Amino acid sequence: MKFWDVVKADLHINAGHRSMKKMPFTFLFNPGFATVFLHRVATHFNKGRLKRLGIIVWRWNVTRSGCHINLGSHIAPGLFLPHPVGIVIGEGVEIGEGAAIYQTVTIGKTASPKYPVIGAGATLYPNAIVIGPITVGEKAVVGAGSVVVKDVPAHGIVAGNPAKLIRVGSGD
């Protein structure tokens, strides 16, 4: 997918699927979109010939937002960060399309060399910690303050420390 197509998907989800009238406001003033956009710019530069500029943009984004999203993470279009403060996303993390990540969420690895995979449409609520070589399934929900160290099925809802499966939705 091309850079501007990814940015459009991010803009669309951060505008709340509202009318086109809201797009300029979101582009200019939405802190979640700004954080995602600057991450996309930094990643784009880092993959090309402008690696140093990519690192400068990345560092500035970390400083201004308080979010540490590693340039080596793989984030599909449509990332939604409603409150982009204190989020940490590790180097090998994969995040599917349309995922929502709230403030102070940490996604990283343990002693294993593998990072978590977050499915499309998954939601991670504030203070959740997702660590290890696990998968959070498509449209799964991780409750606030949960510590997830085991796989979460698609449409599953987990909560607690350690996180326990509360129920599995129908997928609607």
Side-chain angles (χ1 to χ4, degrees), residues 129-136 147-153 158 162-164:
I129 299 172
V130 180
I131 54 172
I134 63 171
T135 299
V136 174
V147 178
V148 183
V149 293
K150 294 181 181 174
D151 288 348
V152 178
V158 297
K164 291 183 175 59

Side-chain angles (χ1 to χ4, degrees), residues 71-94:
L71 290 172
S73 59
H74 306 282
I75 301 173
L79 178 62
F80 181 49
L81 303 178
H83 308 288
V85 177
I87 297 169
V88 177
I89 299 174
E91 181 179 11
V93 172
E94 295 179 31

Side-chain angles (χ1 to χ4, degrees), residues 42-53:
T43 302
H44 181 73
F45 287 158
N46 195 54
K47 288 181 181 177
R49 294 179 182 222
L50 301 171
K51 290 185 187 306
R52 286 190 179 146
L53 182 57

Side-chain angles (χ1 to χ4, degrees), residues 90-116:
E91 181 179 11
V93 172
E94 295 179 31
I95 299 176
E97 191 169 330
I101 301 174
Y102 284 76
Q103 66 270 22
T104 62
V105 168
T106 300
I107 309 170
K109 67 176 188 167
T110 55
S112 167
K114 293 191 175 194
Y115 286 83

